[in-house]
Amino acid sequence: MSDDVKEYKKSLSDELDFNSIDQYHESIMQISNQCFEYKKLCVGAIGIIIAAMLKINSQGTLIFVPLICIFVTIGFWMCDSTAYYYQRANRQKLFSIQNKISNRNEQGNYNSEPIKNSFIMSIFNKSMILYMYFISILFLFILTKLTINIMHCCVQKV
């Protein structure tokens, strides 16, 4: 062993911090799985809503289907973004503990970059593209339906 590298001996504080790291890691993984489940549930719920509403087959159904789907999508989006926010908060705590262990044991420069976290960032991030896609498609459908209805009314008056 060279003279410039100090041998690492795990202290009680390190052991407690490693246990906290394991717990935070497990929490992060469970929240990540929960976020994926939100996306699967959203797709399933929208499919069921569309099928049920089209089965009713009334005249006003075609405008209510996308509106109801938009509200359902926004609900899942908010649940998913809240879970994402707490996942990032747990990652911040995990990295903080890792830095604390590194600094306490003087084992090089481990200082990792701090993770930025905010509710806005959790709502608009790459993992939320599914919800953005659904909302945009549903709004386009509503705009198309309204345009067709307006044009139909104008043609009937002429």
Side-chain angles (χ1 to χ4, degrees):
M1 185 170 262
S2 66
D3 296 331
D4 59 340
V5 177
K6 212 166 104 179
E7 183 180 342
Y8 172 69
K9 292 182 182 180
K10 194 183 286 188
S11 67
L12 176 62
S13 297
D14 290 346
E15 188 67 37
L16 293 172
D17 284 342
F18 281 123
N19 285 338
S20 294
I21 286 173
D22 289 341
Q23 290 172 0
Y24 277 119
H25 180 70
E26 183 64 29
S27 170
I28 290 166
M29 294 306 296
Q30 286 181 2
I31 293 172
S32 175
N33 289 336
Q34 182 181 7
C35 289
F36 184 64
E37 289 298 319
Y38 282 136
K39 289 172 180 67
K40 289 186 340 188
L41 283 170
C42 181
V43 170
I46 290 195
I48 290 169
I49 289 168
I50 290 172
M53 295 290 284
L54 292 178
K55 185 82 169 168
I56 294 170
N57 201 15
S58 68
Q59 188 68 336
T61 303
L62 282 180
I63 205 72
F64 286 120
V65 170
L67 286 175
I68 292 170
C69 290
I70 285 172
F71 288 122
V72 169
T73 302
I74 289 172
F76 279 108
W77 190 356
M78 291 302 107
C79 291
D80 196 357
S81 61
T82 301
Y84 184 86
Y85 174 83
Y86 286 110
Q87 180 184 22
R88 299 281 293 188
N90 283 351
R91 284 183 198 268
Q92 286 175 323
K93 291 176 185 174
L94 186 134
F95 286 143
S96 171
I97 293 171
Q98 287 175 336
N99 286 334
K100 199 166 62 171
I101 293 171
S102 176
N103 292 337
R104 184 172 44 238
N105 293 294
E106 300 170 358
Q107 294 293 318
N109 190 8
Y110 179 75
N111 292 328
S112 61
E113 282 188 32
I115 294 177
K116 296 176 184 173
N117 194 21
S118 72
F119 283 113
I120 299 297
M121 286 175 59
S122 66
I123 292 171
F124 299 106
N125 65 66
K126 291 177 187 174
S127 71
M128 304 299 165
I129 287 177
L130 174 74
Y131 304 113
M132 294 176 211
Y133 176 75
F134 277 166
I135 298 285
S136 60
I137 293 296
L138 293 166
F139 271 126
L140 284 174
F141 183 81
I142 289 171
L143 287 175
T144 304
K145 181 66 177 156
L146 289 175
T147 303
I148 290 170
N149 286 349
I150 292 170
M151 291 173 64
H152 183 68
C153 288
C154 291
V155 169
Q156 284 181 345
K157 287 184 180 180
V158 172

